[in-house]
Each structure stands twice: as structure tokens, then as C-alpha cells.
Amino acid sequence: MSGKESFWSRNFVFLMISNALLFMAFEMLMPTLPLFVESLGGSPAQIGLVTGVFMCSAILIRPFSGSLIQLMDRKYVLIIGVAICMLATGSYMFSTSLALLLVFRLVHGFGFGIASTLYATSASDELPSRRMGEGMGYFGVGETVAISVGPLIGIWMLHAAGFDGLFSTGAGILLLSLVMSAWVRRHSTRTAAEAAKERTKVRFKLFEKRVLLQSSLVLLVGVVAGGVMSFVALFAKEQGFTNAAWFFFTVAMASFLVRLVSGKIYDTKGPAYILIPAGIVLIAAIIMVATSRTELQFLIAAVLYGLSFGAIFPALQAWAISVVGEHEREDAVGSFYNFFDLGIGSGSLVLGAVAGLTSYSTMYLFSTLLIAAYLIIFVIYSVLDKKKSRNTLNV
């Protein structure tokens, strides 16, 4: 596929849509599952445990993704991952105790960790190397739409059909994702002999060191994102704003729009032309959130945040994929997503502690230091890389 300039193949479209459906079912549970835990008699700490178990199992399984596809065709491993998510989501309705729910949540995390990693790597295989940034930007559009409308659909289904209807709908969406994944055509650059040889030396990588830079940068961005998205509704309530839901919708729409152009800039100019300007805009967005005194300022901050995050994430993802070989992409993407998830989780904890000691405004202003660190690290890398390239040419 790398020799083709167009990436709008049947495979790419099916992967993009089925990945969006995976995230749709996941996002439907974000605002509703805590209510289910509460209905089982769970405390706020146990609600956090349900979230944490899912994240931990997803993080733990990702390093094994590269090993799994050496034992079995990637398409079949992807289908298994989606099937696990579907069965776990449908099984939530049979949770008669918190302990049983935790088991289903643990299993769900394993499936999500496998599927989210393999969707991204499978999509990257459909893209010409010269359009990797643009293609991954479009691929992420489905996730952005899912993140925007998923919580709304989840709340609507809960009110309309209760928890059983919510979980059944989520499982049905994942069934559709499963069917579309099964329609993806298999193709491999490895011969049968090469594949057999690979199976005799199954590897395991806890972390792909070649994407340490990209993973570290997305970790810093993830910490900030965890703080913004976890506490912005509480901050809005504190400020007397009534449009917290519109903040999330505006972020999603701005992120959607910027992905339509940022990928092309990445492909033609390189990562610096995306990561530096977007980082500066992200700092401006967080400062505007912290200092918002009117709902208009709050929504302008949402636009800036959506534009910056929507440009940074796919650029870092495409960059991480581009620095490894085709058969090592599972390791690179797994490491990248794990660092991002760790950032999201630690951001909620660390920045929540800062907010508890100070205020939400102070917490947001503090988080701009992390983006400043992100910019400093990338600029230092760019300078050193340019100097290295210059020295190589002079030799």
C-alpha cells in the first residue's frame, strides 16, 4: 500500500468507522457507568476503582500486541479484541455485585487495549508514507466524533431504556464494529516462510525505546488533557456557567476541523510546523480557561483547546509510527497509547490534588508549565537533530 498516493481504500474506511464505533461504545459508558456503580451501592472511591481497573488492564495488555500478531494474523487478533469488548459490555447488565462488575471491567480493558492498538496500526498500513500525517488525522476524526456524541447517546439511552438498554445498545454498536472489522481484507508484506519464522521467535517489548520522545511528549499533553476534561465541568459550575456540555462539544468540533488540514501540514513541512504552534495555542487555551469570567470566553477557550489538541495528538502519533519499521508498529503504537493513558490518569490525580490545595484556576495555570516543558523538550530535540544532520552532511 505504501506505493499508492490515495489512502481512501475500502480497508481504510472500514477501519476508521469501526474504530469510531469502538470509541462510541466506550464513551457511552463514561458518564453513565459511575451511576451504575452507585446503583450497586458503590462509593466514590469504588467508582474510581472501576475506572482504574479498566485503564490498568488496557495498559498491561498493549505490550503483548506485537507478540499476539506473530502467533496469529493481525485481523483475527483485532476481531478477538473487539469481540471481548462486545461481550464485556453486554455482560455489565448481569453485574449483581461490585466484584462481578470489576471482573467484567478488567476483561473489557484487555479487549480495548488490543483493539485500540491494532486499529491504529492496521490503518497506518493502508497509508502512503508521504501522507501518514494526513491519513492518521482523518483516521482520528471518527474518534473525535465518538467522543463528542458518545456521552450524549449514553445519557439518552439510560433515560430511555435504563441500564439494560444502555449496555445492550453498547454491545450492538460493538457488534457492528466487529462485522466491519471482519470485512477488512487481509494483506501482508511478509511471505509465508517469513511469517512462520517470526512465529518461532515471538518477541515481547514492554516499551519501544525509539518512540520515547513522542511518548514523553504525549504523556505531558495527556496530563494536561486529564486535568482539563476531568475538572472543567466543576470549574464551570463554580464560575456559574451553564454551558459545560457545550464546552465538550466545541472542543470536539474544533478538533475535528483542524484534523482536516493539520495532517497535510505535517506531511509537507514536518512535525515542528504542527507541534510548536499548537503547543503555544494550547498554553493560550489553558490560560483562557483559567481566567474565563464569561461564557463567551469559556467557549473561545474550548475552540483554542480543540484546535491545539486536535493538531498535536495525530501529529505525534504519525511521527511515532514513522520512526519504526512496518512490523514494529504495534510496539510503537502500544507504547504511545500507554504513555497517553498514563498521562490522562495521572493528570486527574496530580492536578486534582493541586486543585484541592489551591483552586481550579490555579491548577489550570500550573498545568501550562507542563506544556512549556513539552515545548522546551521538542525545541531542544529539533536543535540537536538539525546539528546532527548538518554534521553528517559535512563528513
Side-chain angles (χ1 to χ4, degrees), residues 61-136:
I61 197 64
R62 283 193 180 118
F64 292 94
S65 297
S67 302
L68 290 172
I69 66 163
Q70 289 175 295
L71 297 171
M72 191 184 303
D73 187 271
R74 179 194 287 165
K75 174 180 175 178
Y76 299 139
V77 179
L78 173 60
I79 289 173
I80 290 171
V82 179
I84 291 172
C85 292
M86 179 187 71
L87 294 173
T89 301
S91 296
Y92 287 149
M93 70 178 72
F94 303 112
S95 300
T96 55
S97 66
L98 184 63
L100 193 55
L101 176 62
L102 285 171
V103 172
F104 292 142
R105 196 67 172 154
L106 181 73
V107 173
H108 191 177
F110 284 138
F112 188 82
I114 293 170
S116 59
T117 300
L118 296 188
Y119 271 128
T121 53
S122 297
S124 71
D125 282 350
E126 304 297 323
L127 302 174
S129 58
R130 288 186 291 180
R131 299 185 69 185
M132 184 66 70
E134 181 184 4
M136 293 310 294

Side-chain angles (χ1 to χ4, degrees), residues 10-171:
R10 161 183 161 151
N11 272 10
F12 184 79
V13 172
F14 281 177
L15 288 166
M16 182 176 68
I17 296 175
S18 53
N19 179 65
L21 293 173
L22 174 77
F23 276 85
M24 177 81 73
F26 170 73
E27 292 295 334
M28 284 173 59
L29 299 178
M30 289 298 286
T32 54
L33 199 60
L35 299 175
F36 183 65
V37 177
E38 190 177 59
S39 73
L40 294 176
S43 65
Q46 289 169 326
I47 292 173
L49 180 62
V50 168
T51 302
V53 161
F54 179 92
M55 182 177 294
C56 287
S57 60
I59 289 173
L60 288 173
I61 197 64
R62 283 193 180 118
F64 292 94
S65 297
S67 302
L68 290 172
I69 66 163
Q70 289 175 295
L71 297 171
M72 191 184 303
D73 187 271
R74 179 194 287 165
K75 174 180 175 178
Y76 299 139
V77 179
L78 173 60
I79 289 173
I80 290 171
V82 179
I84 291 172
C85 292
M86 179 187 71
L87 294 173
T89 301
S91 296
Y92 287 149
M93 70 178 72
F94 303 112
S95 300
T96 55
S97 66
L98 184 63
L100 193 55
L101 176 62
L102 285 171
V103 172
F104 292 142
R105 196 67 172 154
L106 181 73
V107 173
H108 191 177
F110 284 138
F112 188 82
I114 293 170
S116 59
T117 300
L118 296 188
Y119 271 128
T121 53
S122 297
S124 71
D125 282 350
E126 304 297 323
L127 302 174
S129 58
R130 288 186 291 180
R131 299 185 69 185
M132 184 66 70
E134 181 184 4
M136 293 310 294
Y138 279 115
F139 177 73
V141 163
E143 293 178 18
T144 301
V145 173
I147 290 169
S148 173
V149 303
L152 300 178
I153 294 175
I155 292 172
W156 180 79
M157 282 304 306
L158 177 60
H159 289 312
F163 288 116
D164 286 356
L166 168 70
F167 299 140
S168 299
T169 302

Side-chain angles (χ1 to χ4, degrees), residues 92-328:
Y92 287 149
M93 70 178 72
F94 303 112
S95 300
T96 55
S97 66
L98 184 63
L100 193 55
L101 176 62
L102 285 171
V103 172
F104 292 142
R105 196 67 172 154
L106 181 73
V107 173
H108 191 177
F110 284 138
F112 188 82
I114 293 170
S116 59
T117 300
L118 296 188
Y119 271 128
T121 53
S122 297
S124 71
D125 282 350
E126 304 297 323
L127 302 174
S129 58
R130 288 186 291 180
R131 299 185 69 185
M132 184 66 70
E134 181 184 4
M136 293 310 294
Y138 279 115
F139 177 73
V141 163
E143 293 178 18
T144 301
V145 173
I147 290 169
S148 173
V149 303
L152 300 178
I153 294 175
I155 292 172
W156 180 79
M157 282 304 306
L158 177 60
H159 289 312
F163 288 116
D164 286 356
L166 168 70
F167 299 140
S168 299
T169 302
I173 290 172
L174 288 166
L175 176 60
L176 180 57
S177 176
L178 180 68
V179 171
M180 296 195 73
S181 299
W183 284 344
V184 173
R185 294 192 181 100
R186 298 163 54 200
H187 63 79
S188 176
T189 58
R190 292 185 295 178
T191 65
E194 288 172 333
K197 185 178 180 181
E198 284 293 316
R199 291 190 185 101
T200 64
K201 53 175 185 178
V202 175
R203 73 186 189 278
F204 168 75
K205 274 191 178 180
L206 183 63
F207 175 73
E208 174 52 68
K209 61 182 180 181
R210 282 172 292 178
V211 297
L212 177 60
L213 173 64
Q214 297 84 356
S215 298
S216 299
L217 294 176
V218 85
L219 171 69
L220 292 170
V221 173
V223 172
V224 175
V228 169
M229 305 311 278
S230 295
F231 303 109
V232 74
L234 295 173
F235 173 75
K237 182 179 179 180
E238 181 180 85
Q239 296 297 113
F241 300 154
T242 59
N243 60 356
W246 282 105
F247 181 94
F248 292 101
F249 181 79
T250 303
V251 166
M253 290 302 99
S255 181
F256 169 82
L257 292 174
V258 77
R259 285 171 185 259
L260 302 180
V261 296
S262 63
K264 295 180 181 179
I265 297 173
Y266 171 91
D267 290 330
T268 56
K269 298 289 188 179
Y273 285 82
I274 292 295
L275 299 180
I276 293 176
I280 294 171
V281 173
L282 183 55
I283 289 177
I286 302 302
I287 291 175
M288 183 165 282
V289 169
T291 58
S292 291
R293 296 296 176 265
T294 68
E295 299 200 11
L296 178 60
Q297 290 175 326
F298 194 51
L299 290 180
I300 292 174
V303 172
L304 294 178
Y305 179 81
L307 291 174
S308 54
F309 183 81
I312 288 172
F313 188 86
L316 286 174
Q317 185 181 45
W319 189 18
I321 290 171
S322 69
V323 299
V324 299
E326 181 179 341
H327 303 306
E328 300 165 308

